[in-house]
Amino acid sequence: MKIVTVIGARPQFIKAAVVSRAIANTEGVEEVIVHTGQHFDTNMSDVFFEEMSIPRPQYNLNINGLGHGAMTGQMLEKIEEVLIKEKPDWVLVYGDTNSTIAGALAAKKLHIKVAHVEAGLRSFNIDMPEEVNRILTDRISDVLFCPTTTAVNNLQKEGYDNIDCEVKEVGDVMQDAALFYAGKSKKPETELPSVFALCTVHRAENTDDPERLKSIFLALEEISKDTPVVLPLHPRTKGKLSAMGYDFENSNICFIDPVGYLEMVWLLSNCKFVLTDSGGLQKEAYFFSKPCITMRDETEWVELVEHGFNTLAGADKDKIIELASRINDTNLDFSLRLYGNGDAGQVIVNSLRLK
Ligand code: UDP
């Protein structure tokens, strides 16, 4: 059986590392990796391939730095060429990026079966590019591997019982990654405060809205006076802040370059709490028993909010500061297994092999 895996962005490298390891452990399954190039610089791409031992991509499409239309269009064209040549049994796509929808669409038009890992998630905010990508990818996938019961329920509500596809709850590959890589964590080489909050900001709804971005960074500056905020800075956010004339020199925030996953795991293990607008990091905070403040108006990971592990603050400066000041009071039981047992990768591969 031949699988073509299409990946291109940071969270997909982590998810693919888990599934590629399961594929390598499974007889009779061959994997061909296509890297679209959506994230391409060393800190956002190469380091993940090296430290997580992801097999080298057979195809590097090098498509980046473009608007949504041009990026997705070029990916569609190039992935189609690869699929015509490779003739796989399955195309495997992850998450909700432009690489995800391009891979699924190219395959489907060639009548190649599509498996979507992290299917069924919804923010119910259709203005997010990720929401559009995930809804469309789900609709044309043959197998929808859901990480949570919430995701399965979302699909049922959308009528997937009447659609010719298989919906399967398998757990979350990010849980697999957290368990597998926890013991391999690496302290970043940069000097860091001994007590700190870990923060990431990169989502378009925050970076591309100057009011939201300003409000978030005013809150982070304020919080840093009490608990230093360590922030691996995404290139998109760096660009937007620089354009706003952000005073990096006199900032209280401890900005560092984007880090590899092993360093991220170290930061997660050693921080006091997490502030983020990332999907993946909300769950990782939970995997590493840290409370999380999410700087978005909604989340796909509603079970974290329901159980009190995560609180939504939007881009509301006062709310972010207030939640951070109360974070000590939280007394949470992180022993629930909301995202499976850490075997999602193998379950996915076994299930594809049996088809
Ligand atoms: N991540 C990382 N280094 C960083 C920032 C994030 O390894 O400097 C990891 C993070 O731990 C998570 C994944 O990248 O596993 C999430 O990526 P991102 O926030 O870009 O995307 P999202 O999860 O929101 O789709």
Side-chain angles (χ1 to χ4, degrees):
M1 190 179 83
K2 190 193 246 187
I3 296 175
V4 165
T5 296
V6 178
I7 49 178
R10 181 168 64 187
Q12 293 169 335
F13 305 143
I14 299 164
K15 292 162 199 167
V18 169
V19 179
S20 293
R21 199 155 27 83
I23 291 175
N25 290 336
T26 310
E27 238 174 81
V29 188
E30 181 198 350
E31 183 179 38
V32 172
I33 296 187
V34 179
H35 185 341
T36 62
Q38 194 173 334
H39 284 165
F40 61 97
D41 65 26
T42 310
N43 279 353
M44 299 283 284
S45 175
D46 293 359
V47 65
F48 290 88
F49 282 84
E50 280 154 26
E51 68 183 18
M52 303 181 89
S53 311
I54 306 168
R56 286 266 138 223
Q58 279 88 335
Y59 298 89
N60 274 301
L61 305 184
N62 233 339
I63 301 165
N64 49 64
L66 301 164
H68 281 282
M71 190 196 289
T72 315
Q74 288 188 19
M75 286 178 185
L76 185 57
E77 185 182 352
K78 297 287 175 208
I79 295 169
E80 186 182 71
E81 286 169 15
V82 172
L83 297 182
I84 289 170
K85 187 163 160 235
E86 293 290 339
K87 297 182 180 48
D89 302 286
W90 286 94
V91 168
L92 192 52
V93 293
Y94 295 87
D96 52 27
T97 70
N98 290 339
S99 305
T100 315
I101 182 63
L105 196 49
K108 204 61 192 173
K109 293 278 182 80
L110 293 169
H111 305 158
I112 297 167
K113 286 181 287 183
V114 179
H116 184 202
V117 177
E118 228 179 39
L121 297 174
R122 298 289 181 266
S123 66
F124 302 101
N125 175 0
I126 198 69
D127 289 338
M128 285 175 71
E130 293 89 350
E131 185 79 348
V132 178
N133 289 337
R134 56 171 87 100
I135 290 174
L136 297 181
T137 303
D138 280 347
R139 185 58 188 84
I140 56 173
S141 292
D142 295 273
V143 184
L144 290 85
F145 291 117
C146 296
T148 57
T149 313
T150 312
V152 173
N153 292 340
N154 287 340
L155 294 172
Q156 270 169 356
K157 282 185 208 144
E158 288 177 21
Y160 273 73
D161 288 342
N162 302 315
I163 292 174
D164 187 18
C165 65
E166 187 188 350
V167 173
K168 207 171 154 78
E169 184 176 343
V170 291
D172 194 326
V173 289
M174 296 298 275
Q175 170 74 79
D176 298 28
L179 288 172
F180 185 79
Y181 292 101
K184 303 178 196 292
S185 76
K186 228 168 58 185
K187 185 173 184 304
E189 276 165 22
T190 339
E191 205 180 308
L192 294 170
S194 54
V195 177
F196 63 92
L198 174 62
C199 178
T200 69
V201 183
H202 79 295
R203 208 155 280 291
E205 73 211 57
N206 287 331
T207 59
D208 296 3
D209 180 334
E211 282 309 310
R212 287 182 71 99
L213 194 62
K214 199 172 148 206
S215 175
I216 286 173
F217 275 85
L218 283 172
L220 297 176
E221 289 288 353
E222 194 58 35
I223 294 166
S224 286
K225 291 181 189 161
D226 185 40
T227 309
V229 171
V230 172
L231 199 158
L233 191 56
H234 191 286
R236 180 190 342 189
T237 318
K238 188 177 187 177
K240 296 285 179 180
L241 288 174
S242 303
M244 270 167 60
Y246 200 83
D247 188 1
F248 287 100
E249 289 280 303
N250 294 307
S251 171
N252 300 315
I253 300 168
C254 176
F255 289 104
I256 61 175
D257 284 335
V259 293
Y261 186 67
L262 301 186
E263 291 178 319
M264 200 55 173
V265 167
W266 188 93
L267 291 168
L268 282 157
S269 309
N270 288 282
C271 71
K272 194 170 152 198
F273 63 95
V274 172
L275 292 142
T276 193
D277 63 3
S278 152
L281 221 74
Q282 291 174 53
K283 279 175 295 163
E284 285 163 344
Y286 166 72
F287 298 150
F288 291 91
S289 305
K290 307 294 163 139
C292 182
I293 299 166
T294 295
M295 298 179 293
R296 284 179 54 193
D297 299 325
E298 70 286 303
T299 179
E300 301 77 39
W301 308 104
V302 288
E303 49 288 314
L304 293 174
V305 177
E306 279 158 16
H307 287 90
F309 301 118
N310 187 5
T311 313
L312 296 178
D316 182 333
K317 173 181 151 249
D318 296 334
K319 191 162 181 193
I320 299 169
I321 295 170
E322 215 253 318
L323 286 170
S325 71
R326 281 198 286 118
I327 211 91
N328 281 334
D329 305 337
T330 44
N331 190 10
L332 299 163
D333 172 13
F334 287 95
S335 62
L336 286 175
R337 275 289 164 100
L338 294 172
Y339 297 100
N341 301 317
D343 60 355
Q346 195 62 55
V347 172
I348 287 168
V349 177
N350 291 349
S351 140
L352 288 179
R353 208 170 63 117
L354 295 174
K355 291 198 178 295

